[in-house]
Amino acid sequence: MGVVVPVLRTAFVLLNIYETFKTLKPPPSSRNGGQPSVRALSQRKRNMKGCLSVWLIWFCYAFYERTADAFVGIFIPFYSEIKSIVLLFFILTRAKGAEPLYLHVIRPLVKPYSDTLDSLLDLGHHVGDVILVFAAVPVHFISMFYN
């Protein structure tokens, strides 16, 4: 079972990339003067919502795998097989399997902390901008002041 889980993980990511590529491609234009129809736009919006939920589920799975996978695997028998079945479920059901998990588990857990998370992400964005500004300053320009 040591090879099955990495193969399924890779298949899951590659299918997510392909599905995202198909979803982000603009819908074909109809007879409305080159504009896509309302039905095509609503279908694209539904597809984007499903695609986002699949990526969020993937992120949660990858985070869990990096942090608690080794510890949990010690105590649960047939853990690798269970992981394979869960990955296979998400590969086969795609957004139909990921959306309910997102709507009923992840969103209620994150929603009370959304303001705090937004401010932390904004702070991280500003810190990254400051680091980028300092990294963009040429080193020889700074060394001229100290020589």
Side-chain angles (χ1 to χ4, degrees), residues 114-130:
S114 62
D115 294 334
T116 306
L117 289 172
D118 286 342
S119 62
L120 283 174
L121 290 173
D122 194 35
L123 177 69
H125 183 262
H126 291 307
V127 168
D129 286 344
V130 169

Side-chain angles (χ1 to χ4, degrees), residues 21-107:
F21 174 75
K22 282 190 343 185
T23 302
L24 291 177
K25 190 169 66 170
S29 59
S30 64
R31 298 174 225 152
N32 307 355
Q35 296 295 323
S37 66
V38 174
R39 183 175 181 199
L41 289 175
S42 66
Q43 179 66 32
R44 184 174 187 221
K45 185 177 177 182
R46 250 182 277 125
N47 290 343
M48 282 187 181
K49 184 178 175 186
C51 200
L52 180 62
S53 65
V54 169
W55 279 114
L56 285 171
I57 294 299
W58 171 252
F59 168 75
C60 291
Y61 173 77
F63 181 74
Y64 159 76
E65 200 171 41
R66 294 281 182 196
T67 56
D69 189 48
F71 181 73
V72 173
I74 294 171
F75 298 108
I76 298 177
F78 304 111
Y79 181 67
S80 184
E81 287 82 3
I82 294 170
K83 272 180 29 178
S84 299
I85 290 171
V86 168
L87 281 171
L88 198 59
F89 169 76
F90 283 123
I91 287 172
L92 294 176
T93 60
R94 311 290 309 137
K96 289 183 174 88
E99 277 188 62
L101 191 60
Y102 165 70
L103 290 174
H104 299 296
V105 176
I106 296 173
R107 194 167 95 181

